[in-house]
Amino acid sequence: MITVLIVIYVVFISLGLPDSLLGVAWPVLHTELNVPESFASVFSIIVGVCTGGVSFVSGILIRKFGTARVTLASIFITALGLVGISFAPNIAVMILFSIILGYGAGAIDTGVNNFVSLHYNASHMNFLHCFWGVGVTVSPMIMSLFLDGENGSWRNGYRIVALLQVLIALSVIFVMRKWLNIEKSGIDGTSAEEEEKGEEKGIVAILKMKGVLFSILSLGLYCSMEFICGTWGASYIVNVFGLAPSQAAKWVSLYYGGIMLGRLVSGFIATKLGDNKLIKLGIAFSFLGIAVLLLPIGKASLVGLLMMGFGFGPVFPSVLHNVPERFGAKYSADITGYHMGGAYFIGFSSQLIYGFTATATTFKITGFVLLALCVGLFLANMTALRKIHSKDEAR
């Protein structure tokens, strides 16, 4: 079923494409719509609440309709949100269509992540998120073309990305029957889900499973760093280094390119090293990138964005791929959804606090905020592993 896997990779390009548009367009967008620069945090947290909200119920949707159908519908919903944003005459209309965009993205994220973690190995999961990296790397480049042009506009950037979403949705239709067969029978004709006896668990019981909350916290702290860099990276570069918005967009693309490269490299070594080692290595390299960003060497310190992105690469996919192994396959869709929802809530809350603080004080706090979050990520991940191992030893 190689065609299904290829289309799944392409679907993750569609997931990544909208994620980096707002941050690179914001220095121009907020001026055109006459809203304060700090409003980017409020705007993005609205999207995050919608994305996270869908993640919490996505397990139910996936069991009822299947991952393939949910993914197809969600891509079209995402395209609708992007088109609506591109025509928005004011911030209120833009928020309305951003809610639609968030709902579409949340269902894709949870469904496809859970599907790959159940049916494919760690290498495929890292390659999957590498293609997300393709999406978030390409879209700032698309936006920068329009920001550079004499008659260009951020609106045209959104429209081009919406068109790409529609083309990707058509590819899902092409393999729909094969995808549904894998969901029903597995890759080799046998279901990937394990049968576990006992009472069905609700959300409270699942969250009480050893290690679940700290695993969610670790992903949330990771997302805090990623969201801060994605939403505020361009504003940080413009304000601290005095570069033009189009130049800042290219540096943000380099950061996302680092994430893509990190996931590509991880895909080749994931099977040998395993998820937990990749997570630890990714955190360590991210720490080094943040340290470079803090060096007093002028614009040269922006190389730290590439290093930080490279370190970020394996963290997110490895945590999600490890969900069935850590907590079992029976509730993996639910736990993956809780990871996504909880991570978005933590990530966007942190990004909201950062945004108001940085715009009210100085963007020079960025490196120190990222450093604190990186240390928190390391501690949360190690605590989750310790609790999971204590559970296994007690059996």
Side-chain angles (χ1 to χ4, degrees):
M1 299 294 182
I2 188 65
T3 53
V4 176
L5 183 60
I6 291 172
V7 169
I8 288 173
Y9 285 162
V10 173
V11 165
F12 246 58
I13 295 178
S14 83
L15 185 64
L17 283 169
D19 284 358
S20 53
L21 282 177
L22 176 67
V24 296
W26 191 252
V28 174
L29 189 156
H30 84 88
T31 302
E32 181 178 325
L33 296 185
N34 195 29
V35 293
E37 188 174 28
S38 60
F39 195 79
S41 282
V42 177
F43 185 86
S44 59
I45 203 170
I46 291 170
V47 179
V49 167
C50 297
T51 303
V54 171
S55 297
F56 278 112
V57 299
S58 57
I60 298 171
L61 293 173
I62 291 165
R63 282 192 291 272
K64 184 173 179 62
F65 300 107
T67 304
R69 295 189 184 96
V70 170
T71 298
L72 178 62
S74 298
I75 296 173
F76 279 120
I77 291 171
T78 301
L80 174 63
L82 290 166
V83 171
I85 289 171
S86 76
F87 286 101
N90 53 55
I91 196 66
V93 175
M94 189 172 180
I95 288 173
L96 173 63
F97 281 99
S98 294
I99 291 172
I100 295 172
L101 176 66
Y103 282 138
I108 297 171
D109 216 352
T110 300
V112 176
N113 273 301
N114 180 65
F115 180 83
V116 173
S117 67
L118 285 173
H119 296 281
Y120 297 95
N121 61 34
S123 290
H124 287 114
M125 181 64 95
N126 276 279
F127 287 140
L128 174 73
H129 284 265
C130 176
F131 278 86
W132 174 87
V134 172
V136 293
T137 301
V138 168
S139 57
M141 293 179 181
I142 293 172
M143 185 62 74
S144 69
L145 291 175
F146 291 105
L147 293 177
D148 271 339
E150 291 183 8
N151 299 317
S153 167
W154 61 269
R155 297 178 185 274
N156 291 330
Y158 270 89
R159 289 165 192 160
I160 291 297
V161 172
L163 175 61
L164 293 175
Q165 297 281 4
V166 172
L167 295 176
I168 291 170
L170 294 177
S171 72
V172 174
I173 294 173
F174 178 73
V175 300
M176 178 64 72
R177 182 175 297 179
K178 292 180 180 179
W179 192 338
L180 291 173
N181 286 338
I182 293 176
E183 289 190 67
K184 181 178 180 181
S185 305
I187 298 292
D188 57 359
T190 59
S191 177
E193 296 190 15
E194 61 188 45
E195 293 294 330
E196 296 180 14
K197 301 197 182 216
E199 295 182 6
E200 291 290 317
K201 294 182 179 180
I203 181 171
V204 175
I206 292 174
L207 291 176
K208 284 183 177 179
M209 293 170 65
K210 283 193 174 182
V212 169
L213 285 177
F214 278 98
S215 184
I216 292 172
L217 176 61
S218 70
L219 202 63
L221 292 171
Y222 164 80
C223 285
S224 298
M225 292 190 289
E226 184 185 299
F227 293 170
I228 286 172
C229 292
T231 302
W232 292 103
S235 296
Y236 163 72
I237 295 167
V238 169
N239 282 276
V240 174
F241 297 98
L243 298 182
S246 60
Q247 291 297 313
K250 291 170 184 174
W251 275 106
V252 174
S253 285
L254 188 66
Y255 155 70
Y256 281 117
I259 295 179
M260 180 178 65
L261 181 61
R263 288 172 180 170
L264 178 64
V265 173
S266 298
F268 289 108
I269 61 177
T271 303
K272 182 177 180 180
L273 294 182
D275 292 319
N276 290 325
K277 285 185 179 178
L278 279 178
I279 294 168
K280 293 173 185 175
L281 286 172
I283 295 172
F285 209 89
S286 299
F287 187 89
L288 289 176
I290 296 168
V292 171
L293 197 65
L294 284 167
L295 292 176
I297 54 176
K299 289 186 289 187
S301 67
L302 290 176
V303 174
L305 290 173
L306 173 63
M307 295 176 61
M308 187 169 50
F310 185 83
F312 283 176
V315 177
F316 194 94
S318 297
V319 171
L320 292 181
H321 184 265
N322 211 220
V323 165
E325 182 179 336
R326 289 181 173 184
F327 309 111
K330 183 175 182 179
Y331 298 104
S332 64
D334 300 273
I335 296 174
T336 298
Y338 301 158
H339 271 73
M340 301 299 302
Y344 281 130
F345 175 79
I346 295 168
F348 280 108
S349 297
S350 300
Q351 184 261 126
L352 177 68
I353 296 169
Y354 164 84
F356 279 110
T357 304
T359 53
T361 57
T362 173
F363 279 92
K364 292 180 180 179
I365 66 171
T366 303
F368 300 101
V369 172
L370 293 173
L371 195 66
L373 290 170
C374 192
V375 171
L377 165 59
F378 173 77
L379 295 175
N381 180 66
M382 294 306 294
T383 303
L385 292 177
R386 188 176 69 251
K387 287 183 174 293
I388 292 165
H389 291 155
S390 68
K391 172 194 70 176
D392 293 337
E393 291 169 0
R395 286 179 178 176

